[in-house]
């Protein structure tokens, strides 16, 4: 089981004092948070990809390359890599380069993002979002696995005898998670390739994500990658921790009430009841997270959002201390004790190199 954090990189005023960090301050804060994640024993740091204010992470591989140089163990990932508006050739080469720089401590989560205008900014049509995601990943998958690629599709110019460079480290492509909050087509795509499926269930009720994950597991088995309970699942979550629950609620409430995404909507109590948001003590975070297994089955990766809505860096670092000291060690023991022997752990570069890369398709029919 891997535990980590993800950041959307928002630049948001602190509602308690009105101060707003500069872009430079926010970028440096994200780096500091990543370094702290390794320091407290977390496994993964993931950054989003956005190309519009108030967000700063427009170049995830640049940030992750910098973090790679300052860490030794941390897995570097993305919370979204925009498979619809990035060129698959550029994704293939950027992440292969990052693999080499980080000694393989790299994977990525593909998604379509949540900002409609990004499509025309990069010359694409939002109405083609799903077909773009399917076609672009088909090409990316081949670029990492074939030394010479001939390609012709709907959305980019053809390739003739093309080799992306550098080649993946040790001949092992980065592991791919397909992220979705609403699209069964993406769950099907993840299952077809035998890749991971990440349900970032921080906004919608759990029943919605339970159905998506069940679809992914069923189709994963259908395509011959293993039994349904061996499918590779990741979950998003959200925490704000203090040793005393009342202190956590009191301190977090103004940030929740004014958050860019869900502020001025449901109350903190309503949102906590309906989504995985946990505002309370470390024990409450442990109990709530363990219940995810009851809803979704055994899974391999849990990422928490901790640094949004204007929270000051000092507060975020305190959250990481509580996660690393009091929450994650207990969750590791509990999840490991509950995981059946036949259910795999999260893929890493080392495990994929040792066992062969997961994810060849079973036929040329019925592409995702």
């Amino acid at each position: 089981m891997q535990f980590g954090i993800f950041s959307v990189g928002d630049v948001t005023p602190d509602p308690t004092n009105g101060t707003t960090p500069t872009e430079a301050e926010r970028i440096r804060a994200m780096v500091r948070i990543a370094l702290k994640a390794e320091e407290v024993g977390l496994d993964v740091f993931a950054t989003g990809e956005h190309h519009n204010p108030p967000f700063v992470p427009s170049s995830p591989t640049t940030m992750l390359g910098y973090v790679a140089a300052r860490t030794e163990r941390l897995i570097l990932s993305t919370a979204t890599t925009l498979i619809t508006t990035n060129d698959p050739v550029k994704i293939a080469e950027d992440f292969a380069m990052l693999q080499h720089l980080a000694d393989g401590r790299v994977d990525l989560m593909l998604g379509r993002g949540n900002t409609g205008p990004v499509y025309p900014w990069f010359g694409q049509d939002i109405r083609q979002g799903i077909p773009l995601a399917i076609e672009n990943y088909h090409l990316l998958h081949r670029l990492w696995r074939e030394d010479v690629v001939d390609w012709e599709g709907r959305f980019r110019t053809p390739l003739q005898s093309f080799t992306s460079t550098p080649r993946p480290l040790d001949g092992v492509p980065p592991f791919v998670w397909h992220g979705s909050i609403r699209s069964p087509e993406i769950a099907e795509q993840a299952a077809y390739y035998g890749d991971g499926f990440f349900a970032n269930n921080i906004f919608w009720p759990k029943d919605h994500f339970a159905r998506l994950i069940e679809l992914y597991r069923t189709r994963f088995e259908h395509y011959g990658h293993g039994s349904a309970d061996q499918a590779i699942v990741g979950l998003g979550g959200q925490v704000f921790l203090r040793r005393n629950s009342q202190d956590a609620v009191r301190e977090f409430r103004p940030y929740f009430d004014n958050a860019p995404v869900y502020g001025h909507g449901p109350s903190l109590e309503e949102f906590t009841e309906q989504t995985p948001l946990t505002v309370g003590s470390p024990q409450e975070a442990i109990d709530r997270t363990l219940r995810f297994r009851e809803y979704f089955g055994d899974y391999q990766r849990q990422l928490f959002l901790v640094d949004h809505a204007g929270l000051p860096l000092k507060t975020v670092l305190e959250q990481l201390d509580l996660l690393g000291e009091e929450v994650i060690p207990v969750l590791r023991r509990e999840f490991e004790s509950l995981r059946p022997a036949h259910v795999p752990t999260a893929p890493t570069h080392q495990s994929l190199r040792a066992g062969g890369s997961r994810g060849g398709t079973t036929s040329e029919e019925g592409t995702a």
Side-chain angles (χ1 to χ4, degrees), residues 108-127:
L108 69 161
M109 187 193 309
L110 299 179
R112 291 176 291 139
N114 60 6
T115 306
V118 74
Y119 284 82
W121 294 341
F122 287 87
Q124 300 295 351
D125 184 344
I126 191 172
R127 294 169 295 182

Side-chain angles (χ1 to χ4, degrees), residues 4-21:
I5 55 172
F6 70 98
S7 176
V8 296
D10 59 313
V11 180
T12 304
D14 185 329
T16 66
N17 57 28
T19 61
T20 303

